[in-house]
Amino acid sequence: MSQRHQTNGVLTMQQHSEKEIRKSFINCSKGAAQRLNVPKGLAETDWDSEIFLGWIDPKAPQNAYVVAETENGLGGLVLQKNDQKTRGGAQMCQLCMTLHPGSGVSMFSIQRSKSTKEHYSSIGTYICSDLKCSDYTWGKKKPEGVRQMEETLAPEERAERTRRNVEGLIERVSEKMK
């Protein structure tokens, strides 16, 4: 189990090496994990404000990655971003619960292991298109064009909710792969 880090009473990420991040992915091969593009400037990341690490691959923008500390250690997911534009009003991120105009939330599919005996090959969820959920949760970023719902939770409680949601997603994918 990974050591968990607390900032302002919230479990935030501790600093992780590129090797640890690559090793964390549960839904791709070791070879694929070695080939993926980790974020540039990883050493300069403000880990105390990261609820989870999420990024879009700069060389292949349809690929995205999420890494978070879970009860079972560091867990990472490879995601595929669906760039189909949504129509209509606001959409909500299922991780940080931030409302965005339709273009600010994307459907991400998460491929499961090819050894799965079930018929379904992926799990999908709506997430902030830029994967900056930590910044939205802490109020460092605000989506334009959409009025946010009135929150009664303190920022620390919102951060804990986001952490639980991403941990739940990783757990759900992990369970589906068994």
Side-chain angles (χ1 to χ4, degrees), residues 18-30 32-34 36-39 53 55 64-67 74-79 177:
E18 181 177 325
K19 183 178 180 179
E20 291 171 311
I21 289 169
R22 289 184 187 283
K23 191 177 176 182
S24 74
F25 290 97
I26 64 171
N27 66 328
C28 72
S29 69
K30 290 179 183 178
Q34 290 305 311
L36 63 84
N37 295 307
V38 296
L53 187 62
W55 72 98
Y65 311 96
V66 167
V67 175
L74 198 61
L77 297 174
V78 176
L79 309 123
M177 291 177 61

Side-chain angles (χ1 to χ4, degrees), residues 115-127:
S115 65
T116 299
K117 294 177 183 173
E118 295 181 39
H119 299 291
Y120 303 104
S121 62
S122 67
I123 295 172
T125 192
Y126 290 97
I127 306 174

Side-chain angles (χ1 to χ4, degrees), residues 86-108 124-129 133 136 143 146-151 161-162 165:
T86 58
R87 294 185 184 153
Q91 298 281 328
M92 181 180 282
C93 172
Q94 298 301 299
L95 299 182
C96 67
M97 311 309 281
T98 300
L99 286 173
H100 291 272
S103 61
V105 170
S106 295
M107 169 59 88
F108 286 87
T125 192
Y126 290 97
I127 306 174
C128 296
S129 295
C133 296
Y136 293 116
V146 174
R147 185 169 167 236
Q148 296 300 305
M149 294 184 301
E150 191 84 23
E151 284 269 16
R161 176 181 64 198
T162 299
N165 288 343

